[in-house]
Structures are given as C-alpha cells and as structure tokens.
Amino acid sequence: MPVVEVSAGRVHYTERGEGPPVVLLHGLLMNHTVWDQVLGKLPGGFRYVLPDLPLGAHPEPLRADADLTMRGLNQLVAEFLAALDLRDVTLVHSDWGGGLFLTAYGLDERVARLIVLPCEAFGNFPPGLPGKTAVLACAVPGGITLALRQLRVPWLRSTPVMFGWMARRRLDDDLVRGWTEPGLRDKRIQRDLLAYARSHRSKAEFVANTEALRDFPGEALILWSSAGKVMPREHGRRLAELIPKARLVEIDDAYVLSMLDRPEAVAAAMSAFLTGAVVEPG
C-alpha cells in the first residue's frame, strides 16, 4: 500500500483510477476493505482514494504523541488530502461521523461535495448498542483485545451489541479477520484507538459541529438506510434538510454498512451522484 506522511504519522491508503478525486472513509475497527464490494461498480473517470484511518484496523501505528482527538483526526484527514494535493474532493462518510466536522473546524477547503452514508451525527455519539459496547471495551483494561477476538467468532459478531445491528447480512470471516489482525498483532494500534475513544467528548459540541454543515456550500448526497437501530432514520432527513444543496436517497433492507448489505444499490446511487444522473431511491 502507498503511504503519505502527515503530522500524526504515516497513513496508508489504496487508490484506483484517474480523474476528479473521491475519498472514501470508513468506521471504527474497519479499514478500506469495507468498500471492496462497491468500488468495482463505481464509474470510471474518477480517482478513488481510500485511506486507512487510525480507528483500530490501520496497518501501522501513528506517533505516540499524535493528536487523535476528534479535532486531531479531522486535522489528519485534512492533511491527508493536502499531502496528495487532492482538490475539489467528493468525500464519502460511513459509520464514523467525525469527518463531517471538517466544516466546523474550518478544514474543508479541499472538499467540494459530500456523500453521507449512515454515520454518527447530531447527538448520536456513541451510536446505539455497538457504540456503547465499543466505549465499554475501551474503558476496561484488555477490553479491546477481548472485543477483537470476539469479533472473529461469527455468532458473537452477529449479536446486536457487536455487528448484528451494523449489517443485515453476515459479514465475511476473511473481511473481519483483516479488520482485527492489526490490533491483535500490535498493541500500539490499540493505543491509537484508545487515544481517540478516551479523548474528551461533549454531545453539545457534536451537535453544534454537525449543524455547522449548514455552511457547507457544495452538493451533498445523503445516502441513508431506511432500516436499522444504530443510526436513526430521521438523521438522514435532518442532514438533508440542514445542508443547503443536499438531497436524500434511502437504501432499503440495509443497516449502517449498506455498502455490504446492498452494494449494487449503494454503487448505483453514488454513481448517479458522481456523474450527475438522476438518483433514484433503492
């Protein structure tokens, strides 16, 4: 994987294609492979860039003194875009909603458009049972190691407190093994995750930072799921109403990880948005 250097350390990423940049982010205890089923279905003529964020499944630890607070992670995303000299970016969000705060922090100058899949927003931090389980695992000594090992057990992984409410379809064992391997191999990967998870959090600040998107000037596709209990359905509508140039498309029969539940529908909606075609609900 290619690597870029930012102030927090080395960020690994994958990319394919040439053209206007589309940067796809991922969530906690995941990496770029969450997009594998969608990537090949997206249109040509774009440069797709997928960084591995330091959220517990990244291949290399960052510097021990890296700022991995919410603001620090937003700075990392902004520095990543700058390091690759990406401009007029379409930024794609999923699960981890912190990247939505680039506008609140004044760091969105390279972002032209947004695609927002179900993710943390408004006061939904931590989100639902999986979010609360992650907070507990980060608070208990050895909790992250235990959680990573439990994620490798299919029936445990499918419970609501883990990934059962994140995806309607059974997650592939090899996919999850790839997500859990870095943290089990290197405790410094867990250190990075804990630095983020244990940093100061204020729901009032999260709400204010989400609502700062009313100042985002570009177009946005809110590609929300109509089912699920982790990211409320109403948050998709609220985001679409908040961002001046946003439109809402709902994906049926999908939970948070709609790119795994309904990859064809997600790819079709994203493709239509990227190419300017009419976006139909799915």
Side-chain angles (χ1 to χ4, degrees):
M1 292 176 68
V3 175
V4 295
E5 192 86 25
V6 299
S7 61
R10 288 157 49 91
V11 178
H12 294 243
Y13 68 98
T14 64
E15 67 172 304
R16 61 180 293 177
E18 296 181 357
V22 180
V23 177
L24 298 95
L25 305 182
H26 59 79
L28 205 71
L29 294 178
M30 303 173 202
N31 60 27
H32 70 276
T33 59
V34 75
W35 290 105
D36 281 357
Q37 295 186 47
V38 169
L39 196 58
K41 300 176 177 64
L42 296 177
F46 293 89
R47 180 184 179 187
Y48 299 101
V49 183
L50 300 89
D52 281 348
L53 301 176
L55 294 174
H58 49 301
E60 179 180 353
L62 300 187
R63 298 189 178 96
D65 61 350
D67 179 3
L68 297 180
T69 61
M70 185 70 80
R71 179 182 286 273
L73 282 179
N74 273 266
Q75 184 67 46
L76 181 148
V77 172
E79 289 183 18
F80 176 80
L81 301 182
L84 291 179
D85 195 26
L86 302 178
R87 303 174 185 274
D88 296 325
V89 170
T90 299
L91 191 61
V92 186
H93 302 268
S94 172
D95 185 35
W96 179 64
L100 291 174
F101 296 172
L102 286 169
T103 298
Y105 294 138
L107 297 171
D108 65 349
E109 63 181 19
R110 292 176 178 269
V111 180
R113 298 195 294 177
L114 299 175
I115 299 177
V116 185
L117 281 73
C119 65
E120 300 163 313
F122 302 104
N124 191 29
F125 293 84
L129 284 175
K132 292 176 175 60
T133 300
V135 168
L136 178 61
C138 290
V140 176
I144 294 297
T145 298
L146 177 61
L148 293 173
R149 294 194 182 282
Q150 289 176 332
L151 284 172
R152 291 189 167 196
V153 181
W155 74 266
L156 283 174
R157 184 168 70 235
S158 298
T159 59
V161 296
M162 302 200 82
F163 279 1
W165 284 356
M166 295 290 291
R168 296 197 73 163
R169 296 185 181 181
R170 179 183 178 276
L171 297 182
D172 181 79
D173 287 343
D174 289 337
L175 179 71
V176 177
R177 182 167 291 274
W179 293 350
T180 54
E181 187 276 332
L184 291 173
R185 167 179 46 83
D186 191 336
K187 288 294 180 67
R188 295 174 298 171
I189 300 294
Q190 295 188 29
R191 178 203 66 198
D192 291 347
L193 172 61
L194 291 172
Y196 166 68
R198 293 176 176 175
S199 60
H200 175 71
R201 295 157 181 271
S202 162
K203 282 199 173 183
E205 182 180 1
F206 289 151
V207 172
N209 286 348
T210 303
E211 292 181 346
L213 284 168
R214 64 169 51 92
D215 297 323
F216 182 72
E219 294 183 343
L221 170 64
I222 311 302
L223 188 56
W224 218 255
S225 296
S226 64
K229 302 178 181 179
V230 178
M231 310 300 181
R233 183 179 185 182
E234 67 178 50
H235 282 189
R237 175 186 53 78
R238 287 177 63 185
L239 284 169
E241 293 173 351
L242 179 69
I243 303 172
K245 296 180 182 178
R247 56 185 181 270
L248 173 66
V249 173
E250 290 192 335
I251 301 293
D252 295 331
D253 196 31
Y255 288 169
V256 177
L257 301 179
S258 55
M259 75 287 285
L260 298 177
D261 286 336
R262 298 284 312 282
E264 293 83 5
V266 168
M270 289 178 61
S271 299
F273 180 73
L274 291 171
T275 61
V278 176
V279 181
E280 297 293 342

